[in-house]
Amino acid sequence: MHCVESEGGGCVTRDPKQGSWDAFALLHWLGAGSPTSILQALRRELEHHRDAYAVQDRFVVLTARYREPLRGAECQPESATPLAALLPRVVSRVQTRMKDLGLWRSDFEQLVTALASEAEDGLSDGWLVHMTCFGDPYEIWVATAKEDERQVVVGMLTSLPTWLDGGPLADEHVEGRLRNRTVGSTTTLGVIREGTVDTRWIPIPIEEF
């Protein structure tokens, strides 16, 4: 984290295990993302996944984006979960969700199996480290993979669904994020609390899933 705070995207070096993390992240997206976005963007995301340089570039952009917000946020490790324990839960979630959406076909099953195998190959000894911060963004999840006798960072998540033991920000964190958010003051995403927007007054169809 110290490197990201000082160097941003300059911390990222090419690592084949970034592809394994990208496979895990794709499964995570299939399990948690908008069904509409999945239908529209899946082909593009898979093409991106096949390009090792594109995978690395995405990580560079993410770390560069969070360089400023993480400065002074005072993040520290809170807990760590083996990625090998999370992967079966992600795969099970994707299977159940795609079946519920009517998208589970033989070709989709082959895709999920291939992504899971790729993720397992590179992340079997890795960890997902939950880090909490005293300031915005308040929490992040850092993915590591084993290289020789040490753990190297291969990816990062900025949110985790409840079915992977994530949860909503505490009220005081949400209020703090809203107070700290001014125009141009941060590049992280804002927070919209449930019930803030009355959907009856939005002249567009709201997706339900």
Side-chain angles (χ1 to χ4, degrees):
M1 297 310 300
H2 296 298
C3 183
V4 172
E5 290 178 22
S6 61
E7 302 295 334
C11 291
V12 179
T13 58
R14 191 177 180 189
D15 189 327
K17 291 184 175 63
Q18 289 170 2
S20 296
W21 169 251
D22 196 62
F24 184 97
L26 276 173
L27 290 170
H28 172 267
W29 174 57
L30 292 174
S34 158
T36 300
S37 70
I38 291 171
L39 290 172
Q40 292 178 341
L42 180 58
R43 185 181 299 275
R44 182 177 69 247
E45 290 298 320
L46 292 176
E47 291 174 354
H48 176 282
H49 177 67
R50 296 187 186 100
D51 186 343
Y53 289 103
V55 171
Q56 180 183 350
D57 287 345
R58 175 175 287 180
F59 193 22
V60 169
V61 170
L62 181 62
T63 53
R65 176 185 174 192
Y66 273 85
R67 176 185 178 183
E68 293 297 331
L70 287 174
R71 282 184 176 176
E74 299 183 42
C75 300
Q76 58 186 359
E78 182 75 19
S79 61
T81 306
L83 284 165
L86 294 177
L87 183 58
R89 295 168 60 184
V90 175
V91 171
S92 176
R93 165 72 179 189
V94 173
Q95 291 174 341
T96 301
R97 190 165 190 241
M98 293 301 109
K99 288 177 181 177
D100 291 343
L101 294 172
L103 299 176
W104 189 253
R105 303 184 301 270
S106 59
D107 54 346
F108 213 109
E109 183 176 3
Q110 293 172 8
L111 168 64
V112 170
T113 300
L115 289 173
S117 177
E118 184 179 358
E120 184 177 14
D121 286 344
L123 304 176
S124 58
D125 295 318
W127 297 81
L128 190 64
V129 182
H130 181 206
M131 303 190 72
T132 56
C133 315
F134 287 101
D136 192 2
Y138 293 107
E139 59 182 354
I140 57 174
W141 287 262
V142 176
T144 72
K146 188 175 182 180
E147 183 177 288
D148 297 327
E149 296 302 318
R150 63 193 183 98
Q151 294 283 333
V152 296
V153 175
V154 293
M156 185 173 76
L157 292 174
T158 56
S159 64
L160 202 68
T162 54
W163 49 268
L164 273 183
D165 302 328
L169 287 172
D171 287 344
E172 60 269 23
H173 290 169
V174 173
E175 296 304 324
R177 180 175 289 186
L178 292 174
R179 284 196 304 271
N180 292 336
R181 194 165 306 282
T182 58
V183 177
S185 65
T186 179
T187 55
T188 56
L189 298 177
V191 176
I192 300 178
R193 302 304 299 273
E194 184 177 356
T196 301
V197 179
D198 187 344
T199 57
R200 293 173 298 179
W201 295 96
I202 300 180
I204 58 174
I206 303 299
E207 180 180 348
E208 296 182 358
F209 55 91

